Amino acid sequence: MISKIRKCYHCSTTTLNQDYIFSSTMGCTCKRVFFITGLIIMELIDLGLDWDFFVEVNKTDQEKIQSETELKYLILAFAVVGTLTFILQLVAIYYDSKQNYSHLTYSITMSFISTWLEDIPQIILAIWVASISSDLISYVQYAKASYAILEALLHFGVTIWQLCCKKEKFKYKKNSDCLMALLVLDLIGGILLLGASVFLLIELRFDKYY
């Protein structure tokens, strides 16, 4: 009788543990899907703004901008870079999913590359356009500046979260020092991006009134 009770207790405990693990796994999966979906949507919007910005600069009839031929080519070049980094970010998410998103090694690397090789150059080019043009080319400039601020704030928050929450996990990785360095540099890039975006928005508002 006692053995049967123990057996039943063991079975019920095992079932409860399995249910808890299943519910926890489902919760984590939903959060990951939500996070990844949001990330992809944000990157798509950013990519769309980059290409729209190039189109607006290319078709403007403002003489000062038309005379800066290299400016248009640079905007085009970094729009292409942005497209490539977007594709590589999708690949990085796929490879990290194979590791159950335990360390986000590829995603962290691609985030760093995207920040320094695409986001920051694009906002610098937008500032360049705003500085040589006394008139607004298109409202996409406002959209780009405002969205860059939002993206930088979210980027800043996510990077801080990764630095705080994944610090212990990084200790067990052979490339932990490299990952931490990338996160710190990515954070610095996010701060620079935020500052440049605010400056761009102020510049656009200044041009509007003067």
Side-chain angles (χ1 to χ4, degrees):
M1 182 69 179
I2 294 175
S3 62
K4 288 183 178 180
I5 293 174
R6 287 178 177 174
K7 186 175 181 180
C8 290
Y9 174 77
H10 176 72
C11 291
S12 61
T13 304
T14 303
T15 303
L16 287 172
N17 288 336
Q18 289 175 344
D19 290 341
Y20 174 76
I21 293 171
F22 178 75
S23 61
S24 299
T25 304
M26 286 296 293
C28 291
T29 302
C30 290
K31 289 178 182 178
R32 287 168 185 165
V33 170
F34 179 77
F35 175 77
I36 292 170
T37 303
L39 177 64
I40 292 173
I41 291 173
M42 287 190 64
E43 291 298 329
L44 275 173
I45 294 173
D46 185 38
L47 186 61
L49 287 173
D50 289 344
W51 281 104
D52 192 17
F53 182 56
F54 166 71
V55 170
E56 295 296 335
V57 169
N58 190 50
K59 73 179 185 180
T60 185
D61 55 359
Q62 292 188 31
E63 186 176 347
K64 289 183 179 179
I65 295 178
Q66 287 295 333
S67 62
E68 299 283 350
T69 308
E70 67 277 9
L71 175 60
K72 290 189 290 185
Y73 286 120
L74 282 172
I75 294 173
L76 174 61
F78 281 106
V80 173
V81 170
T83 303
L84 293 175
T85 56
F86 173 72
I87 295 171
L88 289 174
Q89 280 181 313
L90 294 181
V91 175
I93 290 172
Y94 170 76
Y95 275 106
D96 281 333
S97 69
K98 293 292 186 179
Q99 301 177 12
N100 198 29
Y101 301 102
S102 57
H103 301 288
L104 301 176
T105 304
Y106 297 104
S107 298
I108 289 172
T109 304
M110 280 311 306
S111 177
F112 165 77
I113 292 173
S114 178
T115 299
W116 284 95
L117 296 186
E118 189 262 327
D119 292 332
I120 292 177
Q122 279 284 0
I123 207 70
I124 290 174
L125 290 172
I127 292 173
W128 184 0
V129 171
S131 64
I132 64 175
S133 172
S134 58
D135 299 319
L136 186 69
I137 297 175
S138 168
Y139 282 102
V140 72
Q141 289 177 278
Y142 276 119
K144 189 172 179 62
S146 302
Y147 186 78
I149 292 173
L150 174 62
E151 185 181 26
L153 288 172
L154 291 174
H155 185 82
F156 182 80
V158 170
T159 306
I160 289 292
W161 172 79
Q162 288 177 326
L163 280 170
C164 295
C165 296
K166 292 190 174 291
K167 188 174 181 180
E168 291 298 321
K169 290 184 178 181
F170 286 153
K171 290 181 180 179
Y172 304 101
K173 295 283 289 182
K174 293 181 180 179
N175 57 344
S176 59
D177 292 338
C178 181
L179 287 175
M180 290 295 290
L182 286 177
L183 276 174
V184 171
L185 290 173
D186 201 18
L187 179 62
I188 294 172
I191 294 172
L192 291 175
L193 181 63
L194 178 61
S197 302
V198 171
F199 178 81
L200 173 60
L201 195 58
I202 293 172
E203 177 71 18
L204 291 172
R205 296 295 294 177
F206 182 82
D207 288 344
K208 180 179 179 181
Y209 292 109
Y210 294 94

